Each structure stands twice: as C-alpha cells, then as structure tokens.
Amino acid sequence: MEFSRKKLLVPAVLAGTILAAWLGLQITVPWYTRLLLKDGATGRQLLSVILADGESAALTWHNSLFDLDVTEDFIAEKGLLVQTAVTFADPRGLPPMRIAPEEVDDFYHTGGPFTTTGLRRPFSRIVYRVGDIGKPSFTAGNTTIKFKNEVGFGGQVVLSTTRPNLYGLVVESLQRVWR
C-alpha cells in the first residue's frame, strides 16, 4: 500500500502544477490593467506594465500649433485607461482657463491655455502618430517612454489595455521585486 501512494504522488503533484499554471493563464484579475505600448510598424514592445485600479499614467507633449505644453492624465480601471484630466499650459506660466469636461473636445482644436478635470473617457486602444516637434512621452509605473526616441519622426505608438491574467500579474510582481 505504501509503495502505490508514493508512486501516485509524483503524477498527482505534476498534474496539480500543470492545472494551477493553466488556471493562472485563464483567470483574469479584474482590479488590474495591463498597459502595452508597441511600435506601430514593427510590433516591438516599448512598455508593458500592470497597474492597479486607480494608478495613474500620463501623456505629455508640446502642441506646436498653439505653443502649449499638454498633459493628459489617465488612471487604470478594470482593464481600461480612463482619461481624467487635460491641461494645455502656456510655457510662459500664464494660468490656464478652467473649462467644463464637456467642452474639452472644442478646446483641443481652438487653442489657448485651458485645464479640465472630472473627465471619464475610457480607452482600450489609442494610436499616436509621432511628430517632429511635439516630444510626446508616456509615463506609467516608474517608466517614461519618449516616443520619438523609440519610433522616430512619423512613427506610430500603439497603446492597448487588457485585464491581465493571474500568471502575468505574478510574473510582473516578481520582476518588480528583482529589479
């Protein structure tokens, strides 16, 4: 009887390990968001980070048409990136006009410094085209990616979000510990 228990233990442990790994790949974690930035032409990964719900990310760039420094603020939420605020700031330090969130689309195209908070614009995919002057950069986690350095003038950066699986969350957590 003792011999058969030992004989069954190894296959049972192996089967349990395989089942746990398979479940880790299948189970998504709803309170986290995986954010990926990739080169639009080659698919090369520029950034992969898992953010807890409520963690922030930001896109900064210079609007050369109106000579304004732009900051777009986001938070991670249930597998999406939600834009929460936008500021078009005058580099000379003039205070931006406060506008209502529903006016933001008009102000993006009409010029002048402005700021708004209280936006709730969810995104799962954004394609950024890289200009020569704007110096766009994206910050998430503790990493900043400068688009022009990565893909060059005229290149594309594709941002996408998903809910991470349990396996990815564990691997990324271990990578953060070892960095």
Side-chain angles (χ1 to χ4, degrees):
M1 188 76 157
E2 187 67 30
F3 175 74
S4 63
R5 282 187 193 166
K6 288 181 181 178
K7 198 174 185 181
L8 291 177
L9 183 62
V10 171
V13 168
L14 183 60
T17 303
I18 290 170
L19 178 61
W22 181 81
L23 283 173
L25 291 171
Q26 304 306 312
I27 297 171
T28 59
V29 186
W31 50 90
Y32 287 91
T33 298
R34 174 179 291 287
L35 184 146
L36 291 170
L37 291 178
K38 291 186 176 185
D39 182 323
T42 67
R44 178 175 58 93
Q45 184 173 293
L46 308 175
L47 174 68
S48 174
V49 64
I50 295 176
L51 302 173
D53 278 2
E55 280 191 87
S56 62
L59 173 71
T60 58
W61 53 284
H62 184 77
N63 182 309
S64 59
L65 183 60
F66 302 119
D67 191 29
L68 299 170
D69 294 325
V70 182
T71 302
E72 300 183 37
D73 294 316
F74 300 88
I75 60 166
E77 189 174 288
K78 298 177 184 171
L80 299 171
L81 208 54
V82 179
Q83 187 180 39
T84 59
V86 175
T87 300
F88 276 56
D90 189 316
R92 296 168 295 202
L94 299 174
M97 173 178 42
R98 293 197 57 79
I99 65 166
E102 55 273 7
E103 296 178 299
V104 74
D105 288 333
D106 290 335
F107 276 82
Y108 259 89
H109 303 289
T110 57
F114 73 88
T115 187
T116 189
T117 57
L119 293 171
R120 294 278 313 149
R121 300 169 77 176
F123 295 95
S124 61
R125 187 171 189 276
I126 303 171
V127 178
Y128 297 107
R129 174 85 57 185
V130 180
D132 196 32
I133 300 169
K135 298 180 184 172
S137 64
F138 195 90
T139 302
N142 293 325
T143 305
T144 298
I145 301 295
K146 296 180 184 233
F147 290 179
K148 190 174 175 190
N149 293 356
E150 295 293 336
V151 299
F153 168 69
Q156 290 182 352
V157 173
V158 178
L159 177 150
S160 62
T161 64
T162 60
R163 288 186 180 181
N165 59 33
L166 186 58
Y167 174 79
L169 182 63
V170 169
V171 168
E172 179 138 334
S173 297
L174 290 173
Q175 288 174 343
R176 284 185 185 182
V177 168
W178 292 108
R179 284 183 212 161

